Amino acid sequence: MIDKETRERIIALVHQEVVPAIGCTEPMAVALCTAKATEQLGCRPEKIEARLSANILKNAMGVGIPGTGMIGLPIAIALGALIGKSEYQLEVLKDLTAEALQAGKQYVSEKRISILLKEGVCDKLYIEVTCQAGDKQETAVIAGSHTHFVSGDASYSRTAARAADADEIALNMRLVYDFSTTAPLDEIRFIEEARTYNMNAAREALKGNYGHNLGKTIDRPLSKGIFGNSIFCHIISRTASACDARMGGAMIPVMSNSGSGNQGICATNPVCVYAKENENTEEELLRALMLSHLTAIYIKQSLGKLSALCGCVVASIGSSCGITYLMGGDYNHICFAVKNMIANLTGMICDGAKPSCSLKITSGVSTALLSALLSMEGKCVTSEEGIVDDCVDKSIRNLTSIGAEAMCATDEMVLNIMTSKGC
């Protein structure tokens, strides 16, 4: 068994990265930064200027803001200033009321908000909000992660963000597996909250019409005629439904992973549905959930919080590991599943948070099931094929180096396309 100090550091990391969030985490992080700047100002701002990194802009442009029926940053910023509380973290807007929404719409219509691209910043996750009232102004900066406040200029922010990560335990696949499968159950039982939040989001989604209604569509008779009334169909439906609601602006909290609610959903719901349908024990489910979430956290350590690579690739690798474990797989089977995933999904681009994210999640989860099944048959993509290496950790590094480095030009092109469309 892993020693107690190491277990405590891993648990602290999971608590840091698996947290509740309402709505898409990028606009919520901007709202959080606005709330902090407003609190520092001490009064309602007359003007707000938000300077954001390209990846924040990309992920905040097309997503619904919970409880508003509106899309994008202006209303998130307005509400962050009017009713946001920084102590709520990524649930910053949970006190939203109808009256506050009207005030927010009025604030936006008065054109008090400026949103600009932050030039010369290296961090993919960078938010700088300045609130002004009269001759007084205050600035708040978030960098490195969605709730990490720093101060000073961009270079200082980058240094501070790195310093915050310095104490983070460096994971590898063996450590992830050993911790998830051997840690005392009482130490990891908290991961059950992810099931509570994210499966509830799937149930709530069925009560309304959110996004593209992909989850509800898969539940309809025509879809059952195509996919059958199967475990596969149920997994896709419950996962897509939660994403539909979240991207469609439902006022439903989800448990996020590494700063992404969709990643949290993708790492949770497939594992929960499979465990229920396969009649796994409660302990097996909890260990599979921890394995799924911790695998995603591990991959994100080298990929970064935001990148050109769609986050569902990372979270689906996690869920494939969790499902493989529930199928009775050991460490070697799980390594096979990881390699099978990397051989298939590498290169799926992130073109911002939006309702159609449910389609990408569906692709990721479908591949997760396929990879798990192949691994249990002893089938694995070999090191003679593509970017897969004999070492599972090296395979993961190959994936993340493509997402974090090689796809930077892709990221720029995606943002240019998104910001120059005629519509």
Side-chain angles (χ1 to χ4, degrees):
M1 182 182 288
I2 299 169
D3 65 87
K4 192 172 192 301
E5 181 184 352
T6 301
R7 296 201 311 271
E8 287 175 349
R9 292 182 68 193
I10 294 173
I11 290 166
L13 176 60
V14 177
H15 276 302
Q16 174 185 308
E17 299 294 350
V18 181
V19 297
I22 294 177
C24 178
T25 48
E26 277 70 50
M28 289 306 103
V30 178
L32 172 62
C33 198
T34 305
K36 174 66 83 173
T38 301
E39 289 164 3
Q40 292 170 178
L41 188 67
C43 63
R44 173 174 164 157
E46 295 169 2
K47 292 184 179 179
I48 302 173
E49 181 180 274
R51 292 184 177 270
L52 312 172
S53 61
N55 285 75
I56 291 290
L57 278 173
K58 181 180 74 173
N59 280 335
M61 288 172 59
V63 69
I65 306 303
T68 68
M70 300 174 70
I71 288 174
L73 282 167
I75 190 63
I77 291 171
L79 292 173
L82 298 178
I83 57 103
K85 290 185 174 64
S86 63
E87 66 193 75
Y88 291 165
Q89 299 284 285
L90 293 178
E91 295 181 284
V92 58
L93 302 184
K94 70 179 182 180
D95 288 343
L96 179 63
T97 63
E99 293 76 15
L101 177 57
Q102 284 306 116
K105 289 179 178 179
Q106 178 67 27
Y107 196 93
V108 171
S109 70
E110 292 168 355
K111 302 192 182 301
R112 298 174 180 271
I113 300 169
S114 300
I115 301 170
L116 305 167
L117 178 66
K118 177 68 178 182
E119 302 289 352
V121 66
C122 295
D123 283 297
K124 291 182 180 293
L125 198 166
Y126 183 88
I127 302 165
E128 179 184 304
V129 177
T130 300
C131 292
Q132 180 180 343
D135 58 358
K136 183 181 178 183
Q137 69 175 37
E138 291 286 343
T139 298
V141 176
I142 287 175
S145 66
H146 292 76
T147 59
H148 182 234
F149 284 99
V150 298
S151 59
D153 61 20
S155 60
Y156 175 85
S157 300
R158 185 171 176 77
T159 303
R162 282 176 172 168
D165 293 336
D167 291 334
E168 217 177 68
I169 185 168
L171 298 171
N172 58 64
M173 200 64 226
R174 184 83 230 191
L175 181 58
V176 167
Y177 175 82
D178 286 347
F179 172 81
S180 302
T181 57
T182 66
L185 199 59
D186 286 344
E187 292 185 9
I188 65 170
R189 194 175 295 279
F190 68 89
I191 200 67
E192 187 176 16
E193 279 192 298
R195 174 177 65 172
T196 302
Y197 274 86
N198 295 348
M199 290 302 291
N200 182 62
R203 286 187 291 270
E204 288 296 316
L206 300 179
K207 299 176 183 178
N209 291 311
Y210 297 105
H212 297 294
N213 277 330
L214 179 58
K216 292 176 77 171
T217 298
I218 294 169
D219 258 346
R220 288 173 180 155
L222 176 60
S223 298
K224 283 190 167 66
I226 297 170
F227 297 112
N229 191 19
S230 62
I231 297 176
F232 172 79
C233 179
H234 299 161
I235 286 174
I236 297 299
S237 174
R238 301 302 178 267
T239 308
S241 291
C243 180
D244 284 334
R246 180 174 177 270
M247 293 288 96
M251 200 69 174
I252 301 171
V254 301
M255 192 66 80
S256 65
N257 181 298
S258 303
S260 168
N262 281 349
Q263 285 169 204
I265 290 166
C266 195
T268 302
N269 290 23
V271 175
C272 293
V273 175
Y274 184 87
K276 181 179 180 181
E277 302 260 349
N278 196 49
E279 298 183 353
N280 287 99
T281 66
E282 188 74 3
E283 177 175 348
E284 288 169 338
L285 169 59
L286 294 178
R287 294 195 182 281
L289 278 175
M290 181 56 72
L291 177 60
S292 179
H293 277 274
L294 195 55
T295 299
I297 292 168
Y298 163 43
I299 298 172
K300 278 287 187 172
Q301 284 187 327
S302 55
L303 180 63
K305 290 291 192 295
L306 297 176
S307 74
L309 187 71
C310 178
C312 87
V313 175
V314 176
S316 295
I317 293 173
S319 62
S320 187
C321 292
I323 290 170
T324 301
Y325 173 79
L326 292 172
M327 288 178 173
D330 59 17
Y331 177 68
N332 288 329
H333 291 110
I334 283 162
C335 290
F336 281 12
V338 172
K339 293 178 184 180
N340 291 339
M341 292 293 293
I342 291 171
N344 193 331
L345 286 182
T346 298
M348 182 186 287
I349 64 167
C350 171
D351 54 344
K354 58 207 174 302
S356 60
C357 284
S358 59
L359 290 165
K360 292 189 176 185
I361 280 182
T362 297
S363 297
V365 173
S366 300
T367 305
L369 287 161
L370 178 62
S371 297
L373 284 169
L374 280 174
S375 76
M376 294 304 295
E377 291 291 324
K379 304 293 185 183
C380 173
V381 175
T382 68
S383 59
E384 282 75 39
E385 304 173 67
I387 67 167
V388 171
D389 194 274
D390 285 328
C391 171
V392 67
D393 296 296
K394 186 64 168 64
S395 297
I396 288 170
R397 293 295 182 277
N398 293 342
L399 168 71
T400 59
S401 64
I402 289 171
E405 299 166 29
M407 292 176 71
C408 287
T410 302
D411 223 13
E412 292 177 9
M413 178 61 72
V414 167
L415 184 64
N416 287 338
I417 291 170
M418 290 175 65
T419 55
S420 61
K421 288 188 289 188
C423 61

